[in-house]
Amino acid sequence: MKERAKGYIVVCVVIVLYWFMDSIWSYLSFEYNLKKLIFSEPGSYLDTFLLKVPPYQIVSRLMVVFLFTAIGVMVIEYIIRKRASEKKLSESEKRYKTAQRIGRVGNWEYDISTKTYWASEQARVIYGFDRSSHHFSAEDIESRITQREETVKALQDLIENNNAYDIEFEITPKNSIRKKFIRSIAEVDRDRLGHPVKVTGVIKDITQRKENELERKRLEKRLFQAQKMESIGTLAGGIAHDFNNILSSIIGFSELALAEVTKGSGLEDHLKEINYAGNRAARLVRQILIFAKKSEEEVKPIELAPIVDETLKLLRPSIPANIKLVDHVDARLSVMGNETHIHQIIMNLCTNAAHSIEKQGGRVDIRVTDIEVSDPTQLSGTLLAPGAYILIQVSDTGVGIPPELLDSIFEPYFSTKKLGDGTGLGLATVYGIVEKYSGTINVDSQVGQGTVFSIYLPAGDAAVHPETLENTALQGGSETIMIVDDEKSITKALSKRLG
């Protein structure tokens, strides 16, 4: 409205200027001055301005004024409408670009005759191209695509056979090394004779969707793994309890027999072998119960450094000479747990590491240190909450673990060793202990480069108090001891031992 009013004011000013100038011209004209001389008519510029002129001049002035007014109105309306159209077009283009930016969608065209691409601003952003450029060669576009051959073939099938073009592929943007996932849909435009002229399409950045899908699949896989481990643990725990009762009888009666047998006899050797095998089986049962989280162990604040030292002292004599054990222990925090559990973690991880390099030799590093996690961290599908942790890390220079086996290494009885070399419970036991301590275990392995097991155990708040043992003589008397157990053989063995 303001622009229209300004336009009309301009028209009025032009008309007034015209009237003013024409009055001057009329006043100074030869014809008017000649009449003034012949007819002795008084005349002045004011008379001329006020139309005291011949009628034909009045008519000509009014016609020019009308013409100026009509042309002025038409020009004003044309300019106003043009500016309104330009404004609407600009707003529409802005909305279009905003929609493409928010939706991460760009459009493109492929000229079949020149083999060049045109790309919209958002399409250029997705591919990492300069925003000032609009046209690109086929090589510029296709060199960014990881699955180049499949993508080019799909475009040719669209042009030649009119096959549907709706594909997903991976690209490396020109301005970044971080790959993106793209979905592209297109159709071919043909001339009157049906010959293909150009391809028109859209692309959408679906990187976030792909990453979410991969994360969902990984979490589903981990959930399935956890459920499978829980089922196996429940089954193993039930069997282990029953088996433990049987072993208690075997170990108990073998110890009673050893107390009564003649020293140095062949029977004593046989009984010792029975007792040794029974104790080995009992240790195996304890590992199963730990994995099943059904063993009841004393929990207290413990320091890891002495346990690591003790475990490595026991381990070194059994490790081949071509394998070097190197420890880096500087942990000062304590863990609420059981010394046997920590011993089993170190022993099993080091044994596995040594096994992976026993042929060619190498090095096993054991690192135990305090760390502070300030922000929530994702590790192997588990969220590591902020706080203080003790990191137990065992790395080797071995052959590594193939990617297809990584998901199975914590399963009970899974082993890559030959028959008789292992029980397949080592890593399953470690997994069970770490879960029981609300910790996290992460595995990083590269085939041919080695493996790193990293265990994060929450640090305890309580201080470590060394135990003091008092030598107190046991005093007997006339007391009665009642033995209760659901296994007769166990009560019988204990009764015999107590006399």
Side-chain angles (χ1 to χ4, degrees):
M1 183 64 74
K2 290 182 179 180
E3 291 183 353
R4 184 176 279 106
K6 290 178 181 178
Y8 289 153
I9 291 173
V10 171
V11 171
C12 292
V13 170
V14 170
I15 291 172
V16 170
L17 287 174
Y18 158 74
W19 196 278
F20 175 75
M21 296 300 294
D22 190 64
S23 298
I24 294 176
W25 175 255
S26 298
Y27 177 72
L28 298 176
S29 67
F30 173 77
E31 182 182 1
Y32 182 69
N33 284 301
L34 182 62
K35 288 181 179 180
K36 183 178 68 169
L37 291 172
I38 295 173
F39 298 105
S40 300
E41 294 177 356
S44 66
Y45 171 72
L46 182 61
D47 293 334
T48 307
F49 189 79
L50 296 177
L51 295 178
K52 292 182 178 180
V53 292
Y56 72 90
Q57 286 192 354
I58 296 174
V59 173
S60 64
R61 280 193 192 184
L62 292 176
M63 287 179 66
V64 172
V65 168
F66 176 76
L67 185 61
F68 276 173
T69 303
I71 293 174
V73 170
M74 286 189 293
V75 170
I76 290 169
E77 292 299 324
Y78 171 76
I79 293 174
I80 290 174
R81 288 179 183 179
K82 184 179 179 182
R83 288 184 178 178
S85 298
E86 289 175 350
K87 184 178 180 182
K88 287 181 180 179
L89 182 62
S90 176
E91 290 176 351
S92 177
E93 186 176 356
K94 185 178 179 181
R95 291 192 189 101
Y96 167 74
K97 288 183 178 180
T98 302
Q100 285 204 339
R101 178 177 54 80
I102 295 173
R104 296 180 180 179
V105 176
N107 57 304
W108 56 274
E109 293 179 359
Y110 175 65
D111 191 315
I112 298 174
S113 60
T114 61
K115 296 189 180 198
T116 57
Y117 284 87
W118 170 88
S120 68
E121 181 179 350
Q122 188 58 33
R124 299 194 297 274
V125 170
I126 292 173
Y127 270 85
F129 291 130
D130 184 2
R131 294 193 181 191
S132 62
S133 303
H134 289 83
H135 295 85
F136 307 91
S137 67
E139 179 62 25
D140 292 335
I141 300 295
E142 293 167 6
S143 63
R144 303 284 106 204
I145 302 173
T146 305
Q147 302 89 353
R148 179 170 180 168
E149 292 183 3
E150 296 88 337
T151 308
V152 171
K153 186 177 183 303
L155 185 62
Q156 289 175 346
D157 288 341
L158 169 66
I159 296 171
E160 297 171 3
N161 306 317
N162 207 27
N163 291 347
Y165 184 91
D166 187 349
I167 59 175
E168 294 180 0
F169 52 88
E170 192 178 47
I171 68 168
T172 304
K174 189 175 181 180
N175 61 352
S176 173
I177 59 172
R178 185 174 181 267
K179 293 185 179 296
K180 291 181 180 180
F181 288 96
I182 302 298
R183 182 184 180 187
S184 183
I185 305 173
E187 61 181 23
V188 63
D189 296 337
R190 301 179 183 274
D191 59 18
R192 294 179 180 180
L193 299 176
H195 299 140
V197 178
K198 70 176 180 178
V199 177
T200 305
V202 295
I203 57 171
K204 179 175 175 59
D205 185 349
I206 58 171
T207 305
Q208 190 63 47
R209 193 196 80 190
K210 281 289 186 180
E211 289 177 350
N212 291 340
E213 287 177 359
L214 292 173
E215 178 68 12
R216 179 175 56 81
K217 287 180 181 178
R218 190 175 60 80
L219 291 175
E220 287 176 353
K221 196 172 186 180
R222 185 168 178 82
L223 176 62
F224 175 73
Q225 177 75 5
Q227 290 172 339
K228 182 170 64 173
M229 298 286 278
E230 184 178 3
S231 300
I232 295 173
T234 302
L235 176 63
I239 296 173
H241 271 298
D242 293 337
F243 192 50
N244 199 41
N245 290 335
I246 299 171
L247 287 174
S248 297
S249 300
I250 295 173
I251 295 170
F253 278 106
S254 65
E255 289 175 349
L256 288 173
L258 282 170
E260 299 176 3
V261 75
T262 304
K263 303 299 180 183
S265 64
L267 181 59
E268 183 186 34
D269 290 337
H270 299 332
L271 289 172
K272 283 182 178 179
E273 290 297 327
I274 293 171
N275 185 264
Y276 176 73
N279 280 301
R280 280 188 62 193
R283 286 193 293 272
L284 185 61
V285 169
R286 279 196 295 273
Q287 285 185 316
I288 296 173
L289 289 174
I290 289 171
F291 168 74
K293 303 179 185 178
K294 293 188 176 181
S295 62
E296 295 181 3
E297 305 282 354
E298 181 186 6
V299 176
K300 61 181 180 180
I302 55 173
E303 288 183 354
L304 269 63
I307 302 173
V308 174
D309 290 341
E310 180 185 348
T311 305
L312 294 182
K313 284 179 183 178
L314 294 172
L315 193 60
R316 278 192 174 95
S318 62
I319 297 295
N322 61 346
I323 297 176
K324 186 178 180 181
L325 285 178
V326 182
D327 60 296
H328 315 271
V329 181
D330 57 2
R332 297 291 178 266
L333 298 175
S334 63
V335 172
M336 288 297 296
N338 181 273
E339 293 181 0
T340 304
H341 292 168
I342 304 301
H343 175 89
Q344 286 178 313
I345 288 176
I346 304 297
M347 182 69 76
N348 285 320
L349 291 180
C350 289
T351 301
N352 266 27
H355 174 76
S356 70
I357 56 176
E358 62 182 354
K359 291 182 180 179
Q360 74 276 18
R363 172 171 170 158
V364 177
D365 287 88
I366 303 96
R367 179 186 171 212
V368 182
T369 186
D370 304 327
I371 65 167
E372 184 74 26
V373 177
S374 55
D375 298 314
T377 306
Q378 195 79 17
L379 287 175
S380 297
T382 303
L383 189 65
L384 198 64
Y389 291 85
I390 293 183
L391 171 64
I392 302 174
Q393 197 171 70
V394 177
S395 59
D396 62 66
T397 57
V399 296
I401 304 172
E404 63 271 15
L405 299 182
L406 278 175
D407 292 332
S408 304
I409 59 175
F410 295 113
E411 294 180 7
Y413 309 111
F414 176 84
S415 178
T416 57
K417 303 174 186 177
K418 62 182 181 180
L419 190 62
D421 281 357
T423 62
L425 282 172
L427 291 179
T429 301
V430 172
Y431 180 88
I433 294 171
V434 174
E435 287 287 302
K436 188 173 184 177
Y437 284 21
S438 301
T440 299
I441 184 167
N442 186 63
V443 185
D444 183 15
S445 184
Q446 297 291 330
V447 176
Q449 298 182 16
T451 304
V452 180
F453 282 86
S454 301
I455 295 174
Y456 299 82
L457 299 178
D461 298 327
V464 179
H465 300 289
E467 294 183 356
T468 56
L469 299 177
E470 297 182 3
N471 294 324
T472 306
L474 296 176
Q475 297 180 356
S478 58
E479 294 86 355
T480 301
I481 298 175
M482 181 172 65
I483 302 172
V484 180
D485 199 278
D486 58 351
E487 288 286 334
K488 267 189 177 182
S489 58
I490 294 177
T491 57
K492 187 177 180 181
L494 289 175
S495 298
K496 283 185 175 294
R497 172 164 290 188
L498 293 172

